[in-house]
């Protein structure tokens, strides 16, 4: 305890930012302090822990083995402190005017938001929803509680995040009703046709795509690669509705079924199951540990889970 009294706990905040950013200047900007102050903090941390923590290399600042081993523990300590000092907020759904910020892909927004709005009208008519796209949000925004919930498919998540699967979805092909493939629907005709690719997982701004980058193309193309095939992609988009509209222009859109079914009543489009197996995908809801015990957030998470469950019935 005597040793503990001599430790400035702000140094843990500095260490957390440094290990996230692996750059002194960016870590300082994240904490809204000067670069010299962050450099001084790093120097004090090195003296305290008797370890360089971050080492400059040709690829930038690289954390030492000890720094990496501490990263998750430091984050958990800071979460615990923030939860203790965070003011408790009572919540009454019927009268609350709270704004809930949701990062959501357009696939999830199209399929979930309408039934969610209906539920809010009945249970919390004054609550407001702020929808944000994946490119609007970073892991840090969710981790710090600036975004209440993120809903998407996530390949990798920090261990600190809480998560819940909302549903699993298989795939459906959306095809113009006059497309030649309708008369001869097979794997061979599917491969001969032209396709629209659509996907957006995780957070952040997407990167450019090329047809040959099969390992980056996602579920549909990975499934084709496993059976030794590749489709002819003519358009890449990160927007499911764009893909669905392009199906009207003669491209085949292979989409999560719940998205494709939004166009089931369209007279010029036909829905068909893919002529090859594609593993189902999970739609996940994630949130920060800082919000885990928030009364209003608990209510909203449960509402979202209930709405998703009703969509699956």
């Amino acid at each position: 305890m005597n040793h503990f009294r001599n430790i400035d706990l702000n140094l843990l905040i500095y260490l957390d930012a440094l290990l996230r950013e692996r750059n002194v200047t960016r870590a300082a900007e994240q904490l809204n302090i000067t670069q010299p102050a962050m450099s001084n903090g790093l120097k004090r941390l090195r003296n305290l822990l008797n370890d360089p923590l971050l080492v400059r290399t040709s690829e930038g600042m690289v954390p030492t083995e000890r720094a990496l081993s501490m990263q998750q523990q430091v984050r958990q300590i800071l979460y615990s402190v923030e939860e203790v000092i965070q003011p408790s907020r009572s919540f009454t759904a019927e009268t609350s005017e709270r704004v809930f910020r949701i990062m959501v892909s357009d696939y999830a927004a199209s399929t979930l938001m309408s039934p969610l709005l209906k539920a809010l009208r009945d249970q919390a008519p004054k609550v407001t929803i702020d929808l944000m796209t994946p490119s609007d949000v970073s892991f840090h925004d969710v981790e710090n509680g600036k975004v209440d919930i993120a809903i998407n498919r996530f390949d990798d998540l920090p261990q600190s995040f809480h998560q819940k699967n909302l549903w699993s979805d298989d795939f459906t092909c959306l095809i113009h009703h006059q497309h030649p493939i309708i008369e001869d629907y097979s794997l061979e005709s599917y491969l001969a046709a032209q396709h629209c690719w659509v996907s957006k997982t995780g957070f952040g701004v997407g990167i450019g795509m090329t047809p040959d980058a099969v390992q980056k193309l996602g579920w549909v193309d990975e499934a084709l690669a496993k059976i030794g095939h590749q489709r002819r992609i003519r358009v890449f988009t990160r927007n499911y509705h764009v893909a669905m509209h392009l199906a009207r222009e003669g491209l085949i859109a292979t989409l999560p079924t719940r998205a494709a079914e939004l166009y089931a009543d369209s007279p010029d489009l036909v829905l068909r199951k893919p002529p090859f197996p594609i593993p189902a995908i999970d739609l996940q809801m994630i949130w920060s540990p800082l919000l885990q015990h928030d009364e209003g957030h608990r209510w909203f998470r449960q509402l979202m889970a209930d709405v998703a469950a009703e969509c699956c019935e």
Side-chain angles (χ1 to χ4, degrees):
M1 289 298 293
N2 288 333
H3 179 64
F4 185 77
R5 291 192 189 100
N6 295 326
I7 297 175
D8 180 356
L9 292 182
N10 284 320
L11 292 178
L12 292 181
I13 299 175
Y14 289 10
L15 179 58
D16 177 58
L18 286 163
L19 293 179
R20 287 170 185 257
E21 300 296 337
R22 302 187 183 187
N23 180 285
V24 172
T25 300
R26 289 200 300 270
E29 290 173 351
Q30 183 184 328
L31 298 182
N32 198 29
I33 63 174
T34 64
Q35 191 270 344
M38 181 60 76
S39 295
N40 182 59
L42 177 57
K43 180 180 179 181
R44 292 169 63 195
L45 282 162
R46 285 168 168 166
N47 292 334
L48 176 67
L49 300 172
N50 194 29
D51 187 273
L53 299 176
L54 289 170
V55 179
R56 192 176 301 279
T57 71
S58 59
E59 298 180 354
M61 300 288 277
V62 176
T64 65
E65 184 176 346
R66 184 175 185 193
L68 288 174
S69 70
M70 295 175 61
Q71 185 170 15
Q72 192 60 36
Q73 290 177 300
V74 169
R75 186 94 287 263
Q76 290 297 338
I77 290 169
L78 293 177
Y79 280 144
S80 297
V81 171
E82 288 188 69
E83 285 181 353
V84 168
I85 65 176
Q86 196 175 51
S88 60
R89 292 191 288 176
S90 60
F91 181 83
T92 303
E94 294 80 3
T95 58
S96 175
E97 297 182 359
R98 184 164 170 175
V99 176
F100 288 98
R101 292 181 172 82
I102 311 173
M103 186 224 84
V104 61
S105 65
D106 71 312
Y107 156 56
S110 299
T111 51
L112 264 179
M113 291 304 113
S114 180
L116 174 64
L117 185 58
K118 291 177 183 176
L120 286 173
R121 286 195 189 113
D122 293 337
Q123 300 183 38
K126 296 183 179 181
V127 159
T128 299
I129 302 297
D130 180 10
L131 299 181
M132 310 173 80
T133 69
S135 57
D136 293 331
V137 174
S138 69
F139 272 124
H140 297 335
D141 295 328
V142 178
E143 198 169 31
N144 294 333
K146 294 179 181 178
V147 175
D148 290 284
I149 286 173
I151 301 174
N152 205 346
R153 184 188 184 279
F154 302 96
D155 294 324
D156 297 296
L157 287 173
Q159 294 181 355
S160 57
F161 280 20
H162 293 278
Q163 59 182 289
K164 179 178 178 60
N165 280 358
L166 294 178
W167 64 47
S168 291
D169 203 358
D170 56 11
F171 284 82
T172 293
C173 296
L174 205 57
I175 308 168
H176 191 272
H177 73 287
Q178 294 182 337
H179 197 293
I181 198 176
I182 297 296
E183 300 301 324
D184 177 27
Y185 189 66
S186 64
L187 177 59
E188 290 71 23
S189 60
Y190 179 93
L191 295 173
Q194 296 187 348
H195 296 261
C196 177
W197 174 98
V198 57
S199 181
K200 189 68 177 81
T201 63
F203 299 88
V205 178
I207 59 173
M209 303 297 296
T210 60
D212 295 329
V214 174
Q215 70 276 13
K216 296 181 181 179
L217 292 182
W219 320 291
V220 176
D221 298 279
E222 287 175 2
L224 278 172
K226 286 181 180 178
I227 58 174
H229 294 292
Q230 185 174 350
R231 60 180 174 162
R232 300 168 62 196
I233 300 172
R234 289 295 172 262
V235 175
F236 292 93
T237 180
R238 282 74 180 164
N239 188 294
Y240 284 88
H241 282 287
V242 169
M244 290 185 271
H245 283 296
L246 288 176
R248 291 192 166 102
E249 302 301 320
L251 298 183
I252 295 178
T254 306
L255 310 165
T257 295
R258 285 187 174 85
E261 286 177 343
L262 295 173
Y263 287 73
D265 295 330
S266 179
D268 56 346
L269 293 173
V270 176
L271 277 65
R272 293 284 179 88
K273 287 298 178 185
F276 58 97
I278 307 174
I281 59 169
D282 292 327
L283 184 67
Q284 297 164 286
M285 173 172 68
I286 67 171
W287 61 94
S288 168
L290 296 177
L291 298 169
Q292 172 68 4
H293 303 294
D294 180 280
E295 184 178 345
H297 200 272
R298 287 202 306 267
W299 171 85
F300 189 70
R301 294 196 307 265
Q302 187 59 54
L303 179 67
M304 185 68 71
D306 292 344
V307 166
E310 289 178 8
C311 290
C312 295
E313 293 178 352

